[in-house]
């Protein structure tokens, strides 16, 4: 039989275990002479054979058919019979057994089976029969040794063992088995004991219980001496060896202590420098804030000056018109004639009169600067606005109004100024206004006006006007708003992105520049929060696309078909308030989402129409309608919403049922510049699709564009800014840690800044995503360059990467080669993750007719790319150029160094950074992509990307490293001659280009599918 660790096998299992097991059976053999015995869970059968030497009859029973067959063949005897059965159902007659022996059995089964076994023992035992049962002492065997036996299901402490047995037997005698110099089994109360051990009973490694309903008269004892056993000597030898190892370690520790002291001095010096740098940074930030504040003040003054200039112009025109009217009047002409006769022009009397008039003219009083609200309200001049003609309307903008013409005009003026690339109509729903709104068509052309015959109130006015909407979408917009640049396009784009989105709302900003609402929260008691009210609108929490409980009707976009399905605003809320919240709940009830779009910014002069007090006027309906809303949606509120102000983290984006994932990298992924960023960007999208609430920290905490906004528009909150950079991310994480399933830490030099804090302060899983083995890359660069700096760096990275891998719950690398190296170097198992994953793959025939030239792709912030290109230009390019004089080389990649730029010329073109669309064109028109890397580590993203674009690849072994089976379709070329030969051969063979493209796609389908990556993440995240 093969030893698995579950059953003892003589001469295989180990010296100490062998002594323990055999001693127990010899101990039992002294008490069963002439009896009928059952050896329950007999295993390999050696114990049953020992018992059969003294017993009249022995049954050996085991659940393993393999063990039973083995025992029958090895230990055949007339009085020994082996049975294959479970201890739950023993195939023996009632009261047929004198003694049941069961050593190391009871702990291998659960509590239910343990009791079942004891009932079976009681059934088959004769009235005066007894049970010999052994089990490990859990305190010594497991707790003190900090050991877990994977085959043990339920172990016992001493008191538990006795209590368990007392349920079945009236008399119990407990024996202790332990090692001293020899191994002893004894009961100290027995008169036959020939020595008194000072070994405490509770420190025994095993207990053996003798159980019976009759009086136990068996004076059992066992001491075993094994003369040929060298266990004691080997233990002493090992102790001496360990002492020597300890002394060696102590010497090493002393050396390390000295090194640590030196490093601490360096750290203290660096910390002093860092404190000074932080102080300087704080001073710069303070100065920057001061300058920003001054700039805002100047901007305000400039705006006020512009408004004052317009007002002055309006007044000038007013007085000019008045003067012209006066001058044209008959009375003025008559008095003017009289004045000219009494005080002729140029006379002394005329000059004296002017001086007297100036002396008595009243002094001009200083006026306080008007607020934005007052400026709009005070506006007198309204130029004619020309809205675009309504053709194929996509969005119907409905503005419900009751008087307040100046605000309505200002709102529509801002729409005209700030709306581009969207076909829209403006519908003014006039609820029987009495001001200039009655003549709004005179001031605004191409507008649609719906006039009510009687005052309907806000809610019914909206419902009535919506019937006239021609657009695919309806957008309700308060007239006391001012829309900002490109406000409408993001709303529509988000709705178009997902047909399950029913409503999209804007970010509302007050006239003071502070945030008014970034989506709304409704609590269980139906009270609500305007999330972010009074905060700065550019903070991270307010700038990512998210689901929300509701969005304000001040700027609310809804699909018209959904509006019609719902039936508009519920008229139980007439005249106003809670109708927008109710609409959000109705839409969500039908399976659609309500979303917040931060790129759509709208300034809301709240309170202009209805005031701000809930105690009077139409605003008082806010309290009344809250009660109606709570009654209507009580079940949803109870099921889906939190108590007031509880768990804002989950309430703000409706992530109650989502686990959050924190992803940390060096900065927001610049996915169009380097493969590492593209890999991170790829799995960020995957995690979102898997239903996780993703949060992102870039270690530089910069708001780099357009990349930060790209993540935010995907629904990822990106933590940026000075506060987070100075450590606020730690507070944020501690406050919200219960929501997080895991953190994904990228790259060793970044992960090291976060690993210890997260592991020591939270219960989050940590996934270390290494990208590649830095120590391996540095060592390979040393082997190529001979620079000792890289060898020293490699050793430093080896230690750091090993430490990170030990601390992480899961380690992710990108190649099978790295898996092999890590297993060999560190004995750590890792997850091999595809660097990219694809849902769709290119199809159709490859057009070789329009393909020409060679292509190199790689960012030059990564040293191996520059080194590889230098090698290619110096060693390979002259061979290729001689054979293919017409060929050109396009070098594409961000951050080209001066050395790379100097390569330009001689049909080599250094293009630098290009967009994704431009890169796709280069792939489409090039014949061969070169990957001449001489060192590096991990999967090379450029290789996968080239294969996906079906362009023939010529690469060194480093360029295709870690791709399983890749050599079958891309042969490594590590000499200049072989590299040039493959370029020339593939360049001249259209069939080879087509075949390579087809092979690449099949390879990617097998190894780089989205499904494969999803499963790997799901397994790690549980």
């Amino acid at each position: 039989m093969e030893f698995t660790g579950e059953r003892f096998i003589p001469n295989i299992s180990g010296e100490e275990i062998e002594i323990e097991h055999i001693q127990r059976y010899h101990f039992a053999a002294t008490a069963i002479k002439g009896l009928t015995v059952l050896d329950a869970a007999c295993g390999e059968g050696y114990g049953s054979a020992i018992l059969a030497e003294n017993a009249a009859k022995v049954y050996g029973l085991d659940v393993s058919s393999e063990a039973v067959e083995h025992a029958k063949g090895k230990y055949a005897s007339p009085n020994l019979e082996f049975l294959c059965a479970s201890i739950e159902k023993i195939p023996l007659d009632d009261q047929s057994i004198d003694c049941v022996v069961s050593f190391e059995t009871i702990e291998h089964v659960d509590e239910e089976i343990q009791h079942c076994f004891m009932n079976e023992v009681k059934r088959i035992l004769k009235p005066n029969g007894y049970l010999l049962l052994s089990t490990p002492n859990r305190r010594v065997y497991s707790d003190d040794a900090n050991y877990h036996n994977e085959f043990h299901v339920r172990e016992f402490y001493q008191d538990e063992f006795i209590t368990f047995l007392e349920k079945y037997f009236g008399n119990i005698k407990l024996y202790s088995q332990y090692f001293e110099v020899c191994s002893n089994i004894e009961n100290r109360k027995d008169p036959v004991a020939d020595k008194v051990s000072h070994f405490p009973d509770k420190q025994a490694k095993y207990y053996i219980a003798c159980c019976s309903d009759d009086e136990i008269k068996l004076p059992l004892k066992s001491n075993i001496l094994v003369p040929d056993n060298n266990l004691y000597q080997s233990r002493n030898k090992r102790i001496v060896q360990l002492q020597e190892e300890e002394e060696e370690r102590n010497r090493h520790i002393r050396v390390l202590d000295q090194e640590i002291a030196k490093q601490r001095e360096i750290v203290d010096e660096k910390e002093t420098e860092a404190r000074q740098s932080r102080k300087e940074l704080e001073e710069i930030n303070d100065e920057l804030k001061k300058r920003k504040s001054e700039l805002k003040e100047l901007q305000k003054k400039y705006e006020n000056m512009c408004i004052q200039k317009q007002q002055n112009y309006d007044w000038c025109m007013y007085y000019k018109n008045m003067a012209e009217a006066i001058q044209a009047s008959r009375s003025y002409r008559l008095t003017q004639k009289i004045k000219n006769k009494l005080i002729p022009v140029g006379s002394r009397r005329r000059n004296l009169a002017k001086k007297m008039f100036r002396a008595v003219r009243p002094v001009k009083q200083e006026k306080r600067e008007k607020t934005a609200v007052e400026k709009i309200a005070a506006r007198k001049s309204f130029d004619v606005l020309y809205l675009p003609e309504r053709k194929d309307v996509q969005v119907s903008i409905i503005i419900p109004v009751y008087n307040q013409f100046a605000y309505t005009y200002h709102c529509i003026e801002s729409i005209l100024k700030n709306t581009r690339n969207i076909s829209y109509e403006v519908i003014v729903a006039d609820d029987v206004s009495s001001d200039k709104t009655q003549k709004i068509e005179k001031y605004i052309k191409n507008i649609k006006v719906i006039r009510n015959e009687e005052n309907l109130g806000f809610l019914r006015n909206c419902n009535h006007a919506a019937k006239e909407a021609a657009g695919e979408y309806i957008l309700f917009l308060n007239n006391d708003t001012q829309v900002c640049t490109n406000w409408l396009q993001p709303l529509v784009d988000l709705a178009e992105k997902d047909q399950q989105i029913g409503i999209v709302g804007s970010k509302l900003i007050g006239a003071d520049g502070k945030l008014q609402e970034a989506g709304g929260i409704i609590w269980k008691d139906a009270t609500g929060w305007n999330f972010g009210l009074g905060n700065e609108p550019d903070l991270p929490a307010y700038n990512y696309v998210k689901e929300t409980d509701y969005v304000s009707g001040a700027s609310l976009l809804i699909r018209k078909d959904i509006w019609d399905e719902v039936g508009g605003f519920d008229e139980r809320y007439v005249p106003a308030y809670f109708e927008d919240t109710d609409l959000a709940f109705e839409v969500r009830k039908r399976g659609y989402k309500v979303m917040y779009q931060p790129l759509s910014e709208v300034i809301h002069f709240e309170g202009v129409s209805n005031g701000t007090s809930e105690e009077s006027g139409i605003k008082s309906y806010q309290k009344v309608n809250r009660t109606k809303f709570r009654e209507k949606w009580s079940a949803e509120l109870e099921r889906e919403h939190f108590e007031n102000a509880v768990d804002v983290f989950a309430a703000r984006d409706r992530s109650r049922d989502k686990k959050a994932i924190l992803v940390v990298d060096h900065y927001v992924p610049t996915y169009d510049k380097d493969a590492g960023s593209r890999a991170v960007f790829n799995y960020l999208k995957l995690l979102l699709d898997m239903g996780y609430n993703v949060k992102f920290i870039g270690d530089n905490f910069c708001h780099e564009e357009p990349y930060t906004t790209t993540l935010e528009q995907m629904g990822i909150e990106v933590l940026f800014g000075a506060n987070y950079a100075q450590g606020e991310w730690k507070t944020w994480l501690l406050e919200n840690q219960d929501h997080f399933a895991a953190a994904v830490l990228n790259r060793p030099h970044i992960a090291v800044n976060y690993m210890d804090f997260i592991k020591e302060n939270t219960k989050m899983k940590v996934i270390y995503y290494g990208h590649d083995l830095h120590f391996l890359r540095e060592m390979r660069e040393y082997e190529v360059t001979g620079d000792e700096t890289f060898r020293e760096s490699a050793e430093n990275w080896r230690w750091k990467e090993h430490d990170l891998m030990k601390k992480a719950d899961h380690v992710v690398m990108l190649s099978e080669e790295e898996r092999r190296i890590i297993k060999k170097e560190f004995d750590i198992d890792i997850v091999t993750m595809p660097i990219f994953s694809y849902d769709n793959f290119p199809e159709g025939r490859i057009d070789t007719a329009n393909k020409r030239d060679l292509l190199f792709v790689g960012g030059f912030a990564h040293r191996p790319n520059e080194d590889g290109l230098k090698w290619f230009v110096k060693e390979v390019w002259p061979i290729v150029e001689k054979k293919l004089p017409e060929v050109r080389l396009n070098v594409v990649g961000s951050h080209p160094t001066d050395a790379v730029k100097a390569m330009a010329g001689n049909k080599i073109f250094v293009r630098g950074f290009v967009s994704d669309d431009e890169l796709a064109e280069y792939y489409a028109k090039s014949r061969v992509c070169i990957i001449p890397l001489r060192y590096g580590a991990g999967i090379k993203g450029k290789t996968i990307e080239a294969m996906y674009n079906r362009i023939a690849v010529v690469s060194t072994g480093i360029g295709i490293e870690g791709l399983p089976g890749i050599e079958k379709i891309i042969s490594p070329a590590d000499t200049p001659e072989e590299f040039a030969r493959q370029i020339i051969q593939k360049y001249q063979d259209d069939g080879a280009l087509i075949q390579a493209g087809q092979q690449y796609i099949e390879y990617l389908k097998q190894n780089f599918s989205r499904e494969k990556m999803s499963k790997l993440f799901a397994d790690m995240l549980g």
Side-chain angles (χ1 to χ4, degrees), residues 212 349 769:
S212 179
R349 281 181 289 175
Y769 193 110

Side-chain angles (χ1 to χ4, degrees), residues 836-867:
F836 303 139
S837 66
Y838 300 101
D839 277 332
N840 303 305
F841 295 89
E843 297 178 350
R845 182 175 174 80
I846 300 172
D847 180 13
T848 59
N850 295 314
K851 283 179 170 288
R852 58 181 54 83
D853 301 333
L854 308 184
L855 178 65
F856 174 91
V857 179
F860 293 100
H862 192 56
R863 291 197 307 271
N865 287 330
E866 179 178 341
D867 172 83

Side-chain angles (χ1 to χ4, degrees), residues 25 101 111 156 161 196 262 294 324 352 392 404-405 416 429 479 527 578 596 640 699 855 876 936:
Y25 277 102
V101 176
E111 185 174 3
F156 293 91
F161 190 43
V196 178
K262 292 179 183 178
E294 292 174 355
E324 290 175 350
L352 181 61
D392 300 322
Q404 304 291 349
F405 173 79
L416 182 61
N479 69 331
T527 57
F578 268 87
Y596 162 71
E640 299 176 9
D699 190 59
L855 178 65
V876 182

Side-chain angles (χ1 to χ4, degrees), residues 846-847 850-852 855 919-927 949 951:
I846 300 172
D847 180 13
N850 295 314
K851 283 179 170 288
R852 58 181 54 83
L855 178 65
L919 180 59
E921 289 182 15
Y922 277 109
Y923 276 125
K925 68 185 182 183
S926 301
R927 288 182 79 81
N949 283 279
I951 178 175

